[in-house]
Amino acid sequence: MLKISLIGAGDIKFHYFELLQIPEEKFNKQVTEIAKVLADSEVELVLLPDRGICFEVAKKYKEYFGKKVYGTVPYSDRDFGIKHLQQFIDAKVNGAKIIDETIDTQNWYKQDLTHCLFGDIVLMLGNSLGSLGELVYGYYLHKLFIGNKSEVNIAKQKIHPEIKAGEKIPFSVIVYKPFVKEKLNFEIEAYIKKLSGEIHYVNDSQELKSVLDKLISSVNS
């Protein structure tokens, strides 16, 4: 079973309604359709349990009886703390918790660097400061783990035993085009491809389903 790391904007009003000028009704419809595809595909989700697009998708995913949701939480952080996350860690839908299990990322610095690596695939739902940072640092660490920088030799298990990226399929990203203004930066695309990662741009939930079906099939074949 594949795990999907969700990344996207936390400030829904600013990013989607004001910046991208997506009508709220259309935005809600897209969230519902994405969540249904993820649930029907029987993938598991990984996300930071905080306000924003990722949590909204996870909430809908659970309404459609999605398999499992992991929350990455920096429990030991002493700089910023996690008090603001607690309401999302404990949140329920239809009487069941949205976050089934948490992954302790220790602190916020390690959280941001490793978040994407707990999934087999990254689903990018918005190109915000935080999501772009998570994406590029995830690939940077992946580069070190696969030995693409000869001066550094480190096993991913030493960083965190639950890192999954690159184990089942090439560590790849799906960009949901309705939620981003432009494609990924040219240089970032080139580095992802250099690391044998794939980049899939999807225009709607049906294209998302098609890409997921192919990736799941590649694991099962």
Side-chain angles (χ1 to χ4, degrees), residues 145-160:
F145 297 151
I146 63 175
N148 200 260
K149 187 171 183 176
S150 58
E151 303 91 337
V152 180
N153 182 17
I154 187 168
K156 59 187 176 183
Q157 289 78 15
K158 184 176 181 181
I159 302 301
H160 202 291

Side-chain angles (χ1 to χ4, degrees), residues 124 127 132 135-136 175 182-193 199 201:
M124 192 168 197
N127 194 7
L132 184 59
L135 181 72
V136 296
V175 181
E182 298 175 350
K183 296 174 69 175
L184 291 175
N185 173 278
F186 171 80
E187 290 93 335
I188 291 174
E189 276 198 347
Y191 276 104
I192 291 173
K193 292 173 181 177
I199 304 168
Y201 290 97

Side-chain angles (χ1 to χ4, degrees), residues 20 24 57 75 89 94-95 110 125 152 154 163 189 213 219:
L20 299 184
E24 187 172 355
V57 167
Y75 282 110
I89 296 170
N94 297 331
K110 201 167 181 179
L125 298 171
V152 180
I154 187 168
I163 288 175
E189 276 198 347
D213 285 347
V219 173

Side-chain angles (χ1 to χ4, degrees), residues 48-50 72-90 102 104-108 111:
L48 172 69
D50 199 356
T72 53
V73 182
Y75 282 110
S76 304
D77 187 82
R78 294 295 176 267
D79 290 340
F80 305 98
I82 62 165
K83 187 177 180 180
H84 61 292
L85 301 182
Q86 200 59 53
Q87 62 177 306
F88 300 99
I89 296 170
D90 297 334
T102 58
D104 185 1
T105 56
Q106 299 177 15
N107 60 61
W108 278 105
Q111 159 72 31

Side-chain angles (χ1 to χ4, degrees), residues 2-69:
L2 293 181
K3 287 184 179 178
I4 311 293
S5 293
L6 302 182
I7 58 174
D11 190 339
I12 289 175
K13 182 176 182 292
F14 171 73
H15 189 89
Y16 302 98
F17 303 161
E18 297 177 12
L19 192 62
L20 299 184
Q21 298 187 334
I22 301 172
E24 187 172 355
E25 184 178 346
K26 184 176 181 181
F27 170 82
N28 291 332
K29 185 174 184 289
Q30 298 263 23
V31 167
T32 298
E33 290 173 350
I34 292 168
K36 189 174 189 308
V37 165
L38 294 172
D40 290 346
S41 299
E42 298 189 341
V43 295
E44 297 177 337
L45 305 185
V46 182
L47 67 144
L48 172 69
D50 199 356
R51 68 178 181 127
I53 180 71
C54 299
F55 192 79
E56 295 305 311
V57 167
K59 185 161 54 176
K60 284 291 182 183
Y61 165 90
K62 276 304 194 73
E63 289 180 6
Y64 285 111
F65 305 103
K67 289 285 184 180
K68 192 169 186 177
V69 178

